[in-house]
Amino acid sequence: MDNNATQERLGKARRYAAQCLRDEAQALTDLIGQLDEGFDRAVEMIFHCKGKVIVTGVGKSGNVGAKIAATFSSTGTPAFYINPLDVYHGDLGVMTTDDIVLALSNSGQTDELLRFIPIVLHMGIPIISMTSNPESLLAKYSNAHILVKVDKEACPLNLAPTSSTTAALAMGDALAVALMEVRNFKPHDFAQFHPGGELGKRLLTTAADVMKTDDLPIIPSDMHLGEAIIHVSKGKLGLGVSLVDGKVEGLITDGDIRRAMERWQSEFFDKTMRDIMTIHPKCVSPQTKVTEIQRIMNKHKVHTVLVVDQERHLLGIVDHYRCML
């Protein structure tokens, strides 16, 4: 095949890819108009659920269901995925009457899933279904039905599950996000479910975990600025701290020193740290989260905070770089 023919085929493939993305994007936009009382009922049921959300589905719907279950679990809704075929081989024991089943099926007529439903009904477990057909058997036997309908698949043959699975996945995200809002789910809650991730680490790490505690640049308040410059430089934090009985009295920064030199010029070396130090520097407790320290730094345009106890005894120093986990 010559180069022109190859380029033509690649160009055609890219056009098909672009059309696929447009079709799936349209399918997601169309879901907004499908949000109804069934969605509201599903949110209410899951919010009041005392047990777990058991997500189930077959084939591609099962793959989507597994991801939805994972999203639920990481956002405050205990959930897991179960293959309906495994129920007949011992997995039924994980289900209790406190649980809710979320069943996914595009047609709502999936045979393997329909054979699973009578078992759920017999146990008295509520069912939420997610299908494209509100008149399907699965929808009719559900306590709440979430409509997820697409005009066409993104597949050129309109056969392979593409737009429909993307829509189901997005609706699962919408359900999880709605529950987060209802539960008033906060960043620190998210961190509890993601302790190993970067975000979780940032949200859980405290000042005590990152603060510098050795070789702190402690400078007497009566020290002349010419000598104080040396201590600030050796400290490599761009500051010096004055203490009285171990308690924070004040703080100077290299910026304070530069401004003092411009202001007093020849008189600069006659001045002491007390003449330029900030009496009330920004302080935090050892339990303060790194994310809160970053907020304080950004708000007050400072690069360092002091870590103190309740009596303002200096425990350590946290600078901008120590917050970069």
Side-chain angles (χ1 to χ4, degrees):
M1 184 179 295
D2 61 34
N3 186 59
N4 290 337
T6 299
Q7 292 301 317
E8 184 178 351
R9 291 193 63 178
L10 291 175
K12 187 176 182 181
R14 186 178 298 177
R15 289 193 295 273
Y16 271 117
Q19 186 59 48
C20 173
L21 295 176
R22 281 192 289 268
D23 289 343
E24 296 205 7
Q26 185 60 53
L28 296 185
T29 301
D30 291 344
L31 288 181
I32 298 173
Q34 297 177 32
L35 296 172
D36 57 14
E37 294 81 3
F39 182 89
D40 298 340
R41 193 176 305 114
V43 170
E44 184 177 4
M45 288 172 61
I46 297 175
F47 176 68
H48 291 291
C49 177
K50 297 180 180 179
K52 310 170 294 296
V53 177
I54 299 172
V55 187
T56 187
V58 178
K60 300 295 190 300
S61 293
N63 295 332
V64 171
K67 190 275 178 183
I68 292 175
T71 301
F72 277 173
S73 294
S74 66
T75 54
T77 299
F80 66 88
Y81 169 76
I82 186 172
N83 189 317
L85 300 177
D86 293 336
V87 170
Y88 302 102
H89 301 283
D91 284 2
L92 185 62
V94 302
M95 299 170 58
T96 72
T97 54
D98 288 331
D99 298 334
I100 286 177
V101 166
L102 173 60
L104 280 67
S105 170
N106 186 42
S107 67
Q109 301 289 143
T110 306
D111 183 62
E112 297 90 341
L113 197 56
L114 292 179
R115 285 191 281 119
F116 167 63
I117 296 304
I119 300 175
V120 178
L121 294 174
H122 178 72
M123 296 180 65
I125 299 176
I127 300 173
I128 299 171
S129 60
M130 187 183 294
T131 82
S132 66
N133 183 6
E135 301 301 321
S136 64
L137 285 175
L138 178 58
K140 289 181 178 180
Y141 281 106
S142 300
N143 301 84
H145 175 255
I146 299 175
L147 181 64
V148 180
K149 187 175 182 179
V150 300
D151 289 336
K152 64 175 182 176
E153 298 288 2
C155 164
L157 304 177
N158 196 29
L159 295 175
T162 45
S163 295
S164 58
T165 50
T166 300
L169 189 65
M171 186 61 80
D173 287 342
L175 192 56
V177 168
L179 285 161
M180 289 176 69
E181 182 65 25
V182 173
R183 296 185 194 282
N184 195 28
F185 199 76
K186 298 298 184 184
H188 67 272
D189 298 313
F190 189 88
Q192 297 294 332
F193 293 95
H194 297 76
E198 180 179 351
L199 177 59
K201 184 179 179 182
R202 288 179 58 243
L203 292 169
L204 293 176
T205 302
T206 65
D209 297 321
V210 299
M211 65 185 183
K212 178 180 174 61
T213 58
D214 58 331
D215 298 325
L216 300 179
I218 308 302
I219 304 175
S221 60
D222 59 355
M223 178 179 287
H224 285 88
L225 293 180
E227 188 178 356
I229 292 176
I230 299 174
H231 287 272
V232 171
S233 177
K234 287 183 177 180
K236 298 181 180 180
L237 292 174
L239 57 81
V241 183
S242 174
L243 304 180
V244 175
D245 297 328
K247 300 180 181 180
V248 174
E249 179 186 19
L251 174 147
I252 63 170
T253 67
D254 48 10
D256 294 329
I257 293 173
R258 288 193 302 271
R259 286 186 289 272
M261 294 179 70
E262 294 175 359
R263 176 182 178 186
W264 286 310
Q265 298 183 14
S266 61
E267 300 177 11
F268 171 80
F269 291 97
D270 297 327
K271 303 297 181 180
T272 65
M273 176 170 173
R274 184 178 292 109
D275 294 318
I276 66 170
M277 69 183 184
T278 299
I279 304 299
H280 299 289
K282 301 304 175 188
C283 298
V284 299
S285 74
Q287 294 77 35
T288 305
K289 299 292 191 296
V290 165
T291 49
E292 174 62 15
I293 293 175
Q294 290 176 318
R295 188 195 67 79
I296 292 173
M297 289 180 177
N298 291 333
K299 178 180 179 181
H300 298 284
K301 295 181 173 56
V302 296
H303 295 90
T304 311
V305 297
L306 306 182
V307 184
V308 299
D309 61 16
Q310 293 182 348
E311 286 77 34
R312 290 181 65 82
H313 289 104
L314 181 65
L315 303 177
I317 298 175
V318 177
D319 62 8
H320 170 74
Y321 297 103
R322 289 177 176 267
C323 292
M324 299 172 63
L325 302 174

